Amino acid sequence: MKKIILQFGLVLFSTFAFSQAGHIMQGVGAFNMSMGGASTAQPLDISGALQWNPASISAFNDKIIKLDVGLFFSSPELSSSLPAGMMGPGSPAVSGTTEDARNPSIMPALAMVWGKEGSKHTFGASAFGISGFGVTFPEELNQPMSPNFNPSLDSNPINYPQKAGGFGRIESDYMLLQIGFTWAYEITEKLSVGVEPTFNYGSLQLMPNPTANPSAAGYPSTNKATTAGFGAQFGLYFDSQKGFKAGVSYKTAQNLSEMEFENTYLDNSKGTNTFDMDYPAILSFGLGYSKSDFDIALDYRMVDYKNTNGFSDTGWTPTASVKGFGWDNVSILSAGVQYKGIDKFPLRLGYTYSSNPIGSDVAFFNIPATAIIKNAFQLGFSYAATSSISLDAVYHHGASDGKTSGQMLNPMMVSASNPYGAVPGTTVAYEMTTDLVMIGISYKFAKKAVK
């Protein structure tokens, strides 16, 4: 049972490398990202409006289509340590860090809004990648049981092979695509209401899969399991028409079907298991102000992980698989400012803060949930190429601002005073930085001449 110390805690890899706040995208598209994701009460572009407040698309009186594509770079690091004697009598203390070896990821977003002057109705459609992750942590080669072991070099026990008590090579690939159809209605000239039914499709592949029961060979690897589901978003948008704006929206939990994994163990035996992981409800409040050459936006969001399947539970099952993440709710603060004093070339600055949903007591259950970004900074601009075509660009940089860390956990050590089986003298930690370059193009259709 020594292997349990390092094996039986790797929970579903929710390291959403595309994400910044837990596994929530902080923004959608180059424009909205450059405002820090703030748009609940400041609908400056259609992608941000569709993502964060369906009522706010009433601010658009044209037919507009927008496409964004970004290249996302992440630099997660996973580290761990064991005290002397943990791997057997006379074994040395070991510690090390493993860097991610995954290639950059592509981030797309597609949106469309259509309305017309004088109409109380505005419609929209969107296809956004709202979650996604992928990590590749190679197997540790410098192992104490190897004849070539070098004690003067890093040796990361988390990435020892499973037969040696580690996880081996850690890989994950996840995506969640959301398609929405939006309708907004102007109750008055200043107040609008909106609704958006949402449809979701996702897939997940894991190596190893800790949601499955381990065998004598350890944890298995999985096929690519899929999930689908639905939800909705509702919003209110107020525009004083004197510069001040306010908005509120509520995105319900996205109820997704259970993922069914087809598992292959290291001895080539087969098995199946299911895991239920939904997308959490999000409550957003926003304020906006526009005056002369400036647009200012401020958003606050509360992400309800504590009542979301896959996140609300944590700990061990009786068969040493993992119940869930055990995440706390997340608070997100987004702010952005746009300066329009340069003809055809508005400039933007954005900032996003997110609290960390992972406590030190459950850090081991969330290896390698490295996409917890506390502070993110954005710089962007647009260029009005013609009266119909506008180009957007953004650069983003985010950082964890310190490691998420805790002790390794062992289900054989669970007790009333040690509910997760913390192993004395051990550590596990992860942190990361992120960088994103994204461009977008929007096209405004010419209005038909009135006869």
Side-chain angles (χ1 to χ4, degrees), residues 34-72:
S34 67
M35 293 290 289
S39 67
T40 304
Q42 187 66 285
L44 300 178
D45 85 306
I46 65 172
S47 295
L50 288 166
Q51 173 69 356
W52 297 121
N53 189 353
S56 68
I57 68 169
S58 62
F60 301 97
N61 295 315
D62 301 283
K63 182 186 290 186
I64 306 170
I65 188 168
K66 191 171 193 296
L67 173 66
D68 293 274
V69 179
L71 196 60
F72 188 91

Side-chain angles (χ1 to χ4, degrees), residues 10 13 74-80 96-103 134-143 154-162 166-172 207-208 367-368:
L10 182 60
F13 293 99
S74 60
S75 302
E77 294 183 348
L78 175 63
S79 59
S80 64
T97 299
T98 303
E99 296 182 355
D100 183 82
R102 191 176 180 87
N103 293 324
V135 296
T136 301
F137 289 116
E139 184 175 297
E140 176 62 68
L141 300 179
N142 187 36
Q143 306 160 20
D154 270 9
S155 180
N156 191 0
I158 285 290
N159 291 112
Y160 292 168
Q162 290 203 46
F167 298 141
R169 182 181 177 88
I170 298 173
E171 285 193 71
S172 57
M207 176 191 293
I367 299 170

Side-chain angles (χ1 to χ4, degrees), residues 335-351:
V337 59
Q338 176 175 242
Y339 174 67
K340 300 175 292 187
I342 305 174
D343 186 39
K344 297 184 178 181
F345 197 78
L347 304 175
R348 290 180 293 274
L349 290 173
Y351 169 74

